[in-house]
Amino acid sequence: MSQKTARRVSDEQGGVEKLLTDHGMSREEYDVFLGILGREPTLAEFGVAAAMGSEHCSYKSTKVWLKTLPTTGPQVICGPGENAGVIDIGDGQAAVFKMESHNHPSFIEPYQGAGTGVGGILRDVFTMGARPIANLNALRFGSVDHPKTKSLVAGVVAGIGGYGNCVGVPTVGGETCFHASYNGNILVNAMTVGVADANRIFYSKAAGVGNPVVYVGSKTGRDGIKGATMASGEFNEDSDAKKPTVQVGDPFTEKLLLEACLELMATDAIVSIQDMGAAGLTSSAVEMASKGGLGITLDLDKVPLREEGMSAYEIMLSESQERMLMVLKPGCEAEAGAIFKKWELDFAVIGVLTDTGRIVCTRDGIVEIDMPVAPLVEKAPMYKRPWEPTPASEAVKVEDYPLPSGQTLLGVLTKMLASPDLCSKRWIWEQYDSLVRANTVQGPGADAAVVRLDGTKKALAMTADCTSRYCVADPVMGGRQAVVETWRNLCAVGATPLAVTDNMNFGNPEKPRIMGQFVGAVQGIGEACRALSYPVVSGNCSLYNETNGAPIEPTPIIGGVGVIADSSKAIGMAFSREGETVYVLGKTEGHIGRSLYLREVFGKEEGAPPPVDLEAERRYGDFIRLMIDAQKVSACHDISDGGLLVAVAEMAMAGALGLSLEIGGDAAFWFGEDQARYVVTTTDAAAFEKTARDADIPFTKLGRVGGSELCLGQERIAVKALSDAHEGFLPKFMA
């Protein structure tokens, strides 16, 4: 190629060193790239290499550990490595799902950042040939007294609702927590679940020398350029200056793209397909060619543009939304083009697959990129960074934290129900359309969302969970608990848990302490998934969630998916009938380390988190599902944040019915966060107790449903008063 006609890195103001700094590439990584190329790169070639080698695209700090996770099983059709994971749900159907982060963009520009996060994860799912049936999200914001928190909550929630509602996919579940560690780095993790025919899954592996490469969707602009590298670095006081790297979304175009892609997928025209996500045209072209062991030639003059004068560098690195790259069978261009024209979307044949093993891109007749494909992926950096285990925390002595003088159990309960983490999130989820498509059996506020599958009796259940305060104290136990929390939530509605997706949110991996948190969490997640036969089929990593050196709490969000054979048997948490008997299933020992009781009542975040007994989790979950399927229990709720008394109160508020608790206990008994526990109600107490004893399942009778008050010993409080406290915090905060 003629180096005189393409912009070289030495032509740029500030030269190579400034480019390395701006793109987050180390000198050592650049030297490897020079060795691959054998000459000085053009600016466009440098941009492609920097994007592919970024943490966001290459997982250079994490993939050595992610490879240790269990990713296979009889239910797994496609594990990690594709746009989304795919599992067999029977009857020739597959569930397709994944979770991804849009943390950095959402902090900088919350509405567009959160909205395009939803758009990106939707495309990951329908790229595989699945129609999305549900969205979920997991959100983390800073302290409620931080000056930016309110505006960030408002922007993120509006962005999620604005995008998801317009596309017509229900947002059915999620979680929202607040903590000062997220003051400078909020987390916006979006999850989508779709359904496809198990024998009609589409993959991204390019095939067929000479096959046309086609661009579809929206036009390319300058939004999102260097988005992948921005998401691979820490924030500082200049973070607002990064707004140009935040993408701008159009949910109405996304809806058209979804329908057009699914219509084309019903034909036999597509060889392979890839969403243009992080790093845009760069990552989609390189990854497709690499997986197929092929080369690819692109004529960038044919890329539909919405801005004038865009360079090869800008076209290749733009992260404009609502775009796909496809490889078609020869002769199918007209048929495909007609479909996209009908849906009023751009369609352009921009290239061809070759046998050269190289990516070659021209712009204005100039060869801007000519480099080998395989090394961009195979020789991308992979580090086994130094790491330190998190020091063990001492167990909290229960006797050091009795109920404070002058306070009552129900008074503390009321305070906790109105706290930021435990308060009702109705203000948030009422801004989401959770009922569109009319298949939502259980939506936001349930242990797990339940969505009926068209034309069948089946339903999918789904949830997203993590207790980051456990993870910061003990990443291994916290990783285990994040998995089993999703397991319990699925079991509590009657679903058989099948597989998980993860979203690993951590600080700077170049710090051994932070890297140790990641390693520990992966270890714990792996242990739990193996014990539960609950593999990881997809996921995402978001690192460098730090501002001015202050990291977030480690937050490995787990999204779980399960199946219910008969959706009419799914149950919720609400008390439903007067006179029903209430039991707690599992052992209560009063573990208050890292509990919300300790934090909200005493202002302390200390101690070891509750231990997770994986054998008990599996056995108790299996028992609960059998009881629900046999219709022996009428309501079920897993016990998590806030402990037993909070779980009971949530069931009472959900059903607007009271409960007389017939046993005593101290604050640790009622507010401890011991794991592997459920609260259930039944109309046949004798049969329930016999079945539980026969199965060697520990249980304790709590009392009977009835009236309009929650009664505990001499204390009583109206369920409506609890609801008023529970529902009131967030609307008042956001007013």
Side-chain angles (χ1 to χ4, degrees):
M1 66 178 281
S2 172
Q3 289 293 309
K4 294 180 180 179
T5 54
R7 290 169 65 186
R8 296 171 298 177
V9 294
S10 57
D11 296 331
E12 299 303 302
Q13 187 174 5
V16 173
E17 293 304 324
K18 186 175 188 306
L19 285 172
L20 293 176
T21 300
D22 289 348
H23 291 76
M25 181 187 280
S26 71
R27 168 55 75 168
E28 293 74 18
E29 290 167 356
Y30 181 64
D31 288 341
V32 171
F33 174 50
L34 284 180
I36 293 169
L37 203 58
R39 56 172 169 76
E40 181 187 15
T42 66
L43 178 62
E45 289 171 336
F46 179 90
V48 167
M52 292 305 298
S54 69
E55 189 74 63
H56 196 69
C57 291
S58 74
Y59 285 23
K60 56 191 175 187
S61 299
T62 60
K63 57 188 171 186
V64 67
W65 298 105
L66 295 174
K67 289 178 179 179
T68 67
L69 291 171
T71 59
T72 59
Q75 70 274 49
V76 178
I77 295 173
C78 177
E82 271 293 339
N83 287 290
V86 186
I87 56 173
D88 190 335
I89 57 173
D91 306 309
Q93 291 181 304
V96 181
F97 62 100
K98 188 183 180 184
M99 190 187 307
E100 275 204 343
S101 61
H102 235 219
N103 303 336
H104 286 61
S106 298
F107 182 77
I108 296 169
E109 213 301 302
Y111 184 88
Q112 291 294 351
T116 52
V118 173
I121 196 63
L122 281 166
R123 288 194 301 279
D124 280 341
V125 167
F126 71 76
T127 298
M128 304 290 291
R131 177 170 290 280
I133 64 167
N135 289 330
L136 300 90
N137 54 73
L139 311 178
R140 295 292 187 276
F141 297 103
S143 170
V144 292
D145 57 12
H146 189 272
K148 291 192 73 169
T149 297
K150 186 185 295 188
S151 64
L152 288 169
V153 172
V156 165
V157 171
I160 291 170
Y163 207 103
N165 296 353
C166 292
V167 174
V169 177
T171 300
V172 297
E175 61 169 9
T176 302
C177 299
F178 298 84
H179 190 271
S181 77
Y182 306 103
N183 283 348
N185 287 81
I186 64 172
L187 303 184
V188 176
N189 292 181
M191 177 176 169
T192 293
V193 181
V195 176
D197 291 340
N199 62 352
R200 292 289 290 170
I201 305 299
F202 289 80
Y203 299 99
S204 59
K205 178 181 177 181
V209 172
N211 281 350
V213 177
V214 175
Y215 172 116
V216 300
S218 289
K219 288 180 168 59
T220 294
R222 289 187 170 94
D223 52 321
I225 293 173
K226 291 200 297 186
T229 52
M230 179 270 287
S232 304
E234 291 185 34
F235 280 160
N236 54 36
E237 58 277 357
D238 298 323
S239 60
D240 281 348
K242 297 181 179 180
K243 283 189 178 181
T245 62
V246 177
Q247 308 92 326
V248 178
D250 180 353
F252 299 103
T253 299
E254 180 98 345
K255 173 63 173 173
L256 300 178
L257 182 63
L258 187 162
E259 298 300 340
C261 286
L262 292 181
E263 182 174 339
L264 183 59
M265 286 167 170
T267 72
D268 198 33
I270 297 176
V271 175
S272 57
I273 180 170
Q274 173 72 43
D275 163 41
M276 289 193 217
L281 187 52
T282 285
S283 62
S284 55
V286 170
E287 289 173 7
M288 291 175 80
S290 171
K291 288 175 181 177
L294 296 173
I296 187 169
T297 295
L298 301 177
D299 182 351
L300 301 184
D301 294 342
K302 295 181 179 178
V303 173
L305 303 178
R306 66 167 182 260
E307 299 185 46
E308 294 183 0
M310 289 187 68
S311 67
Y313 170 94
E314 291 173 321
I315 294 169
M316 291 299 291
L317 294 180
S318 167
E319 293 185 9
S320 294
Q321 297 292 286
E322 296 91 37
R323 303 180 301 159
M324 295 282 191
L325 196 66
M326 298 180 179
V327 176
L328 299 182
K329 293 181 178 178
C332 293
E333 296 93 329
E335 178 186 17
I339 289 173
F340 282 89
K341 181 179 180 181
K342 182 184 80 171
W343 290 100
E344 299 182 343
L345 295 166
D346 278 291
F347 175 94
V349 178
I350 66 168
V352 65
L353 296 181
T354 70
D355 61 2
T356 65
R358 302 180 72 83
I359 178 169
V360 179
C361 303
T362 59
R363 175 74 165 139
D364 296 328
I366 298 168
V367 178
E368 292 278 0
I369 297 170
D370 185 353
M371 52 204 295
V373 168
L376 288 174
V377 177
E378 295 167 4
K379 292 191 178 180
M382 183 168 72
Y383 299 127
K384 193 166 185 180
R385 296 194 185 278
W387 62 277
E388 299 171 358
T390 299
S393 299
E394 289 187 16
V396 170
K397 296 179 180 178
V398 171
E399 57 269 22
D400 291 343
Y401 296 100
L403 194 68
S405 177
Q407 296 196 37
T408 65
L409 288 169
L410 295 186
V412 168
L413 170 67
T414 306
K415 176 181 180 179
M416 290 178 63
L417 288 174
S419 66
D421 278 8
L422 285 177
C423 73
S424 168
K425 305 306 187 297
R426 186 184 304 274
W427 182 92
I428 292 175
W429 51 257
E430 282 193 339
Q431 298 184 52
Y432 307 149
D433 188 339
S434 61
L435 299 175
V436 63
R437 299 186 61 82
N439 283 324
T440 304
V441 178
Q442 292 190 141
D447 277 331
V450 180
V451 179
R452 190 170 38 241
L453 302 185
D454 284 329
T456 75
K457 295 173 64 179
K458 289 187 305 191
L460 289 180
M462 55 207 75
T463 183
D465 295 283
C466 177
T467 310
S468 54
R469 64 182 186 278
Y470 295 172
C471 297
V472 75
D474 184 340
V476 177
M477 202 61 71
R480 281 188 179 189
Q481 194 275 339
V483 173
V484 301
E485 174 78 5
T486 69
W487 167 272
R488 287 199 303 269
N489 282 337
L490 295 174
C491 291
V493 300
T496 301
L498 292 178
V500 305
T501 183
D502 61 48
N503 208 143
M504 309 293 283
N505 306 276
F506 290 79
N508 185 344
E510 297 167 47
K511 299 177 180 178
R513 179 175 63 88
I514 302 298
M515 195 66 223
Q517 292 175 343
F518 183 90
V519 173
V522 170
Q523 179 184 333
I525 291 168
E527 290 170 353
C529 288
R530 278 184 284 270
L532 300 173
S533 301
Y534 193 35
V536 181
V537 296
S538 59
N540 173 256
C541 288
S542 174
L543 305 182
Y544 295 96
N545 289 289
E546 299 197 9
T547 295
N548 295 324
I552 63 165
E553 288 188 333
T555 312
I557 304 285
I558 301 295
V561 173
V563 67
I564 303 176
D566 184 348
S567 63
S568 68
K569 291 185 177 181
I571 67 170
M573 69 170 72
F575 290 157
S576 56
R577 300 183 190 87
E578 297 255 358
E580 288 194 317
T581 308
V582 184
Y583 293 89
V584 57
L585 185 152
K587 297 178 180 177
T588 299
E589 297 177 349
H591 191 104
I592 62 169
R594 298 287 164 170
S595 67
L596 284 179
Y597 169 73
L598 199 62
R599 189 174 87 187
E600 298 300 328
V601 178
F602 295 92
K604 294 191 175 184
E605 300 179 57
E606 61 183 37
V612 175
D613 182 335
L614 295 172
E615 188 274 334
E617 293 283 3
R618 180 157 193 165
R619 208 159 57 82
Y620 300 174
D622 291 347
F623 176 79
I624 283 290
R625 292 199 313 279
L626 287 172
M627 296 297 286
I628 293 172
D629 185 62
Q631 298 182 298
K632 299 297 185 184
V633 296
S634 50
C636 182
H637 186 23
D638 88 301
I639 301 174
S640 55
D641 294 343
L644 174 56
L645 195 55
V646 166
V648 167
E650 288 171 340
M651 298 175 80
M653 292 186 295
L657 280 172
L659 170 68
S660 295
L661 293 162
E662 299 170 2
I663 64 171
D666 60 9
F669 175 85
W670 289 112
F671 298 117
E673 296 181 6
D674 307 86
Q675 301 294 292
R677 294 185 299 162
Y678 302 81
V679 179
V680 298
T681 63
T682 181
T683 56
D684 191 342
F688 175 84
E689 292 186 12
K690 181 180 187 307
T691 306
R693 287 194 190 97
D694 290 348
D696 194 26
I697 303 292
F699 65 89
T700 303
K701 181 180 175 182
L702 293 177
R704 290 186 182 276
V705 175
S708 60
E709 295 180 319
L710 183 62
C711 304
L712 177 57
Q714 299 302 308
E715 296 184 58
R716 59 187 55 226
I717 188 170
V719 172
K720 185 180 184 304
L722 290 176
S723 292
D724 289 345
H726 184 56
E727 298 284 351
F729 173 80
L730 204 51
K732 183 178 179 181
F733 171 65
M734 294 303 298

